[in-house]
Amino acid sequence: MADKASNGARGNSVGRVPEAERPDGIRNVVLVGHTGSGKTTVVEALAMAAGALTRSGRVEDGTCLSDYDDIEQRQHRSVQLSVVPVAWNGIKINLIDTPGYADFLGELRAGLRAADAALFIVSAAAGAEGVDGQTLALWEECARVGMPRALVVTHLDAVRADFDLMARTCAALLGNGDSDAVLPLQLPVHGAKGADGHRPVTGLIDLLTEQIFDYSAGEHTRTDATAEQATLIETARDRLIEGIIAESEDETLMDRYLEGQPIDLATLTADLERAVATDRFHPILIAAPPPEGARAGLGMVEILELITRGFPTPAEHAVSARCPSNGAAPAALSCDPGAPLAAEVIRTASDPYVGRVSLVRVFSGTLHADDTVHIHGHGSAAGNGAHDLDERIGSVTAPFGKQQFPLSQAIAGDIAYVTKLGHAETGDTVSAKDSPLLIEPWPLPEPLLPVAVRAHGKADEDKLSQGLARLVAEDPTVRLEQNPRTHQLVLWCLGEAHRDVALERLRSRFGVHVDVDEYRVALRETFGGKASGHGRHVKQSGGHGQYAICDIEVEPLPEGSGIEFADKVVGGAVPRQFISSVEKGVRAQAERGVSAGYPLVDVRVTLLDGKAHSVDSSDAAFQTAGALALREAAAATRIALLEPIAEVEVTVADEYVGTVLGDLSGRRGRVLGTAPASSGRTSIRAEVPELELRRYAIDLRSLSHGGAQFTRTYIRHESAPAQVAQDLRDRVGSGV
């Protein structure tokens, strides 16, 4: 018998955003997956199924829900997280859509912090590559913190789509040694193959109920399985039941099942929901476009049901905070609307009309419009330092793509936008004025791609510092550095796409145009052997003259010695008051360099002799003579260029270890060793010249198909090979 399911009564109305009245009426779900897997499409399909949206779109044409600014339209991809709230069965679901590209990992991490459960979106058209290195790393990260997860398979209508292959791949790679912990709840029903080779998905087989959810007539109907489909169901259903029972809290259930006793559907469903909520079982679901004439996409109702019934409430996601004034240990926050306020700024953005807008996740208490709250920050990459102040917020709104809907309040467990928090930055804690709290920030990826920038014109110079400060406050994965050695202003980013977005935001949002220069590594110079220098500065052109002569000896010192200056003048050949002048001149010239313009280090300069004039000698004259003497000494011996060496630790999938090792050798790296990092991954430690690491963030991603991460730590300077040193001198000489 067919059973038509009416979904409209269970969802929310178009143009209205649901408001939560209690924490157990909220679900916060983040959607993650590699770029192109269909996360934004799934978000829109869920919103349509819940009745919150009447049409879907694409990032390219600017009609999709998650599109927030023009950059996404120009780049043809999501570059920041967005929140879409929908209602289902009286539950408010905050769907958090995140970028899939690795350059925007900071936005994804923010989404993980705001969520209590995750939907991993994988594309059946991508085959085994649908579970890439980044997806694996994020899955393991969620496992470490016990975040419940489910998988949604998309693109089943593609020519090369293979649901069975994708299900086996997910079970093998994500099961953490237990392939029965990752199993399908559904199987797809395909229609006839079209002229283009596509086989549209017309329905789903529910393995627990053994019913068919048929969409071919344009509506979600339930029918009994045919004899042919029953054969297809049997094996998959038996394995699913065994996987659910294995994770059941009822230890007698497995014995009953093995004895052949029937297990009723209600028991299986309840055990499934408990196993999902406690992160012990990870079901695989299906998402497919709606057939012609259907309003909701295939599988959307089932995904919404799993979210509301199987995913945990905010009260089950413990977050700790501490009082910054008394030094007490962090304590778990109570997800209670009546408790003291504790919220965290998940991301910040600038609105041309209302100024800074902060997206906050409320962990405790209730946030009202016009409340005076306390802002406590850890300090940003802009160098602002920790801040600790009170501010009065403006409005409280619910995000819905680009739109904002006013809220009367945001209770514990909910996500909302607040305005007029002029000093709040991403990662800051918002708490009650009379009860300040500090939530430890979530881990952020280290930006490792340097981009040297300078103001394009005079008008941009005046706005540059403010624009950069606002950029870093909004995006904590951008680090700002004023390099004192190279005198460059450097933005450290996560990759090329991240760099392009940062520069575009500077231009379009903050009105600052910048030019990009080649990033310069902080090289040094030192003497290759002992040498002597004679500095003579004698000028007489009428009036007061200049007269200073000095003789010095320069010898190299061990690494880290800096510049030492010694005085061995006898008989007052250089008057005592001018010895310090010679030292000033030597140190000033050492800072400017003596060969290729890099600072001179690790030498001892000894003043041996000199001459002075009773009238024409002066401090300035002896400074000049000291500099001339150092330059002459440098011309008489070999000058070694010192390049910085970094210790690099690369974590990469085992299959790419050989490729990465070969690449490190090609970068003049010295491999220190390898060690197992986690399941199927290896850690490689090596010493590599920083000259060879300027584009390593980009190159490593290409070598490992996006599945590797690395860290770098400066350890020392050492002499560059002769050919490298000569190339560097040639570049300086040619002005490059």
Side-chain angles (χ1 to χ4, degrees):
M1 179 182 292
D3 173 35
K4 293 187 178 182
S6 174
N7 304 329
R10 291 186 281 177
N12 55 300
S13 303
V14 174
R16 292 187 59 189
V17 170
E19 288 199 42
E21 297 179 355
R22 61 190 191 282
D24 61 2
I26 300 172
R27 303 291 185 274
N28 296 308
V29 182
V30 62
L31 284 81
V32 300
H34 63 86
T35 186
S37 60
K39 297 181 298 300
T40 301
T41 303
V42 171
V43 169
E44 292 186 341
L46 290 171
M48 290 183 67
L53 190 67
T54 57
R55 63 183 291 265
S56 62
R58 301 178 304 165
V59 172
E60 289 89 335
D61 58 27
T63 62
C64 71
L65 264 178
S66 64
D67 174 39
Y68 189 81
D69 60 23
D70 295 339
I71 295 176
E72 292 184 321
Q73 296 179 40
R74 286 191 288 272
Q75 296 229 350
H76 293 181
R77 61 184 163 205
S78 298
V79 301
Q80 58 193 11
L81 71 84
S82 62
V83 180
V84 178
V86 300
W88 190 257
N89 288 339
I91 302 295
K92 178 180 181 180
I93 306 172
N94 288 314
L95 299 169
I96 306 169
D97 187 18
T98 61
Y101 201 63
D103 279 13
F104 308 106
L105 186 57
E107 295 283 329
L108 194 152
R109 288 273 177 84
L112 290 173
R113 178 61 162 229
D116 306 308
L119 284 176
F120 277 73
I121 313 299
V122 294
S123 172
E129 294 182 359
V131 184
D132 61 356
Q134 182 182 343
T135 302
L136 282 170
L138 289 171
W139 184 271
E140 293 172 1
E141 186 175 325
C142 290
R144 285 194 294 271
V145 298
M147 176 175 282
R149 289 149 286 155
L151 295 110
V152 176
V153 179
T154 59
H155 300 158
L156 284 167
D157 57 342
V159 175
R160 299 179 181 177
D162 188 332
F163 178 78
D164 293 336
L165 172 62
M166 179 52 65
R168 290 195 302 271
T169 300
C170 290
L173 296 179
L174 306 178
N176 194 26
D178 181 7
S179 58
D180 287 340
V182 182
L183 293 172
L185 289 185
Q186 308 154 349
L187 299 177
V189 176
H190 290 279
K193 184 182 293 186
D196 57 359
H198 288 197
R199 294 185 61 202
V201 179
T202 59
L204 308 174
I205 300 174
D206 185 277
L207 293 177
L208 283 183
T209 64
E210 300 182 84
Q211 288 187 314
I212 310 301
F213 298 158
D214 186 11
Y215 288 78
S216 59
E219 293 188 39
H220 178 197
T221 61
R222 297 189 181 198
T223 61
D224 294 330
T226 65
E228 181 181 355
Q229 290 168 334
T231 303
L232 182 66
I233 291 171
E234 185 176 358
T235 301
R237 187 175 190 270
D238 288 344
R239 189 178 179 194
L240 173 63
I241 292 175
E242 290 174 7
I244 294 173
I245 292 175
E247 302 298 338
S248 174
E249 296 175 357
D250 184 352
E251 297 180 357
T252 67
L253 206 57
M254 180 61 77
D255 294 334
R256 290 162 50 194
Y257 177 74
L258 294 176
E259 291 171 1
Q261 298 182 30
I263 310 298
D264 63 275
L265 182 62
T267 299
L268 287 174
T269 302
D271 280 346
L272 169 66
E273 292 168 357
R274 278 194 295 270
V276 171
T278 53
D279 191 39
R280 291 180 286 114
F281 186 79
H282 313 291
I284 302 175
L285 298 98
I286 290 172
E292 187 173 348
R295 185 177 66 85
L298 277 74
M300 297 305 121
V301 170
E302 290 71 33
I303 294 173
L304 290 169
E305 288 289 331
L306 177 74
I307 290 173
T308 55
R309 299 176 61 179
F311 279 172
T313 71
E316 299 170 70
H317 178 195
V319 172
S320 297
R322 61 182 174 86
C323 179
S325 59
N326 60 17
L333 294 170
S334 171
C335 188
D336 178 3
L341 175 67
E344 192 168 22
V345 179
I346 300 302
R347 71 180 307 271
T348 58
S350 295
D351 187 279
Y353 303 105
V354 299
R356 183 173 293 186
V357 181
S358 303
L359 181 67
V360 300
R361 161 72 193 260
V362 183
F363 289 103
S364 178
T366 302
L367 192 64
H368 299 92
D370 299 321
D371 277 352
T372 298
V373 296
H374 186 79
I375 307 295
H376 200 111
H378 303 267
S380 71
N384 294 341
H387 40 282
D388 190 2
L389 70 161
D390 294 336
E391 283 195 291
R392 184 178 180 182
I393 67 174
S395 60
V396 178
T397 61
F400 194 81
K402 274 189 171 182
Q403 305 176 71
Q404 301 291 318
F405 293 88
L407 291 175
S408 60
Q409 62 183 16
I411 66 169
D414 210 351
I415 300 172
Y417 270 116
V418 297
T419 61
K420 297 186 178 181
L421 291 181
H423 293 86
E425 299 178 356
T426 302
D428 287 359
T429 302
V430 180
S431 56
K433 179 182 177 181
D434 55 353
S435 182
L437 292 171
L438 183 62
I439 300 173
E440 291 303 313
W442 63 89
L444 289 171
E446 179 70 16
L448 294 168
L449 178 67
V451 183
V453 298
R454 57 181 168 84
H456 179 71
K458 177 63 178 174
D460 300 303
E461 287 182 6
D462 299 334
K463 299 182 291 184
L464 181 60
S465 60
Q466 182 181 5
L468 289 172
R470 292 172 65 185
L471 175 70
V472 174
E474 290 188 9
D475 186 355
T477 59
V478 175
R479 179 163 57 87
L480 181 63
E481 175 193 12
Q482 179 72 61
N483 193 304
R485 287 297 184 186
T486 63
H487 308 292
Q488 285 186 313
L489 189 62
V490 181
L491 285 176
W492 289 85
C493 304
L494 295 176
E496 286 183 302
H498 190 215
R499 174 200 63 193
D500 294 343
V501 167
L503 297 180
E504 176 66 13
R505 281 179 177 159
L506 275 177
R507 183 192 64 79
S508 62
R509 189 174 295 177
F510 307 128
V512 181
H513 292 73
V514 297
D515 295 325
V516 176
D517 294 328
E518 182 181 14
Y519 172 71
R520 296 195 296 269
V521 173
L523 303 174
R524 299 173 184 173
E525 301 174 349
T526 193
F527 273 54
K530 185 181 291 188
S532 298
H534 176 73
R536 185 176 186 274
H537 182 62
V538 178
K539 288 187 177 181
Q540 188 68 50
S541 57
H544 198 283
Q546 298 182 52
Y547 189 98
I549 297 174
C550 64
D551 293 291
I552 64 171
E553 181 181 74
V554 185
E555 56 185 320
L557 293 175
E559 180 190 350
S561 300
I563 302 290
E564 292 184 10
F565 185 84
D567 165 29
K568 291 188 178 181
V569 175
V570 295
V574 177
R576 182 61 49 188
Q577 69 269 27
F578 294 134
I579 291 176
S580 61
S581 302
V582 175
E583 181 179 358
K584 288 179 185 176
V586 166
R587 291 188 180 277
Q589 184 63 53
E591 184 65 27
R592 295 190 294 269
V594 294
S595 172
Y598 301 111
L600 180 70
V601 296
D602 302 336
V603 295
R604 178 185 291 118
V605 179
T606 304
L607 178 60
L608 301 175
D609 200 2
K611 291 182 181 180
H613 189 277
S614 60
V615 175
D616 293 341
S617 292
S618 64
D619 173 70
F622 271 98
Q623 286 192 45
T624 303
L628 291 170
L630 185 61
R631 292 208 296 268
E632 183 176 290
T637 189
R638 179 180 67 86
I639 299 299
L641 279 186
L642 303 177
E643 59 179 344
I645 306 297
E647 182 174 312
V648 173
E649 184 170 354
V650 183
T651 304
V652 63
D654 292 345
E655 59 188 298
Y656 299 116
V657 168
T659 303
V660 171
L661 287 173
D663 178 72
L664 289 172
S665 297
R667 296 174 187 272
R668 300 187 284 126
R670 293 185 292 271
V671 176
L672 303 178
T674 62
S678 59
S679 177
R681 297 172 72 79
T682 297
S683 175
I684 304 170
R685 290 176 54 246
E687 293 182 354
V688 187
E690 290 192 7
L691 282 167
E692 307 292 341
L693 294 175
R694 287 178 288 187
R695 285 181 49 86
Y696 194 55
I698 301 169
D699 298 338
L700 179 63
R701 185 174 298 162
S702 176
L703 290 170
S704 64
H705 292 207
Q709 298 85 38
F710 81 103
T711 60
R712 56 187 284 178
T713 306
Y714 166 79
I715 50 176
R716 65 178 178 277
H717 273 69
E718 65 179 37
S719 294
Q723 185 58 52
V724 174
Q726 188 58 49
D727 289 345
L728 291 169
R729 290 192 179 95
D730 292 344
R731 291 169 67 89
V732 171
S734 63
V736 177

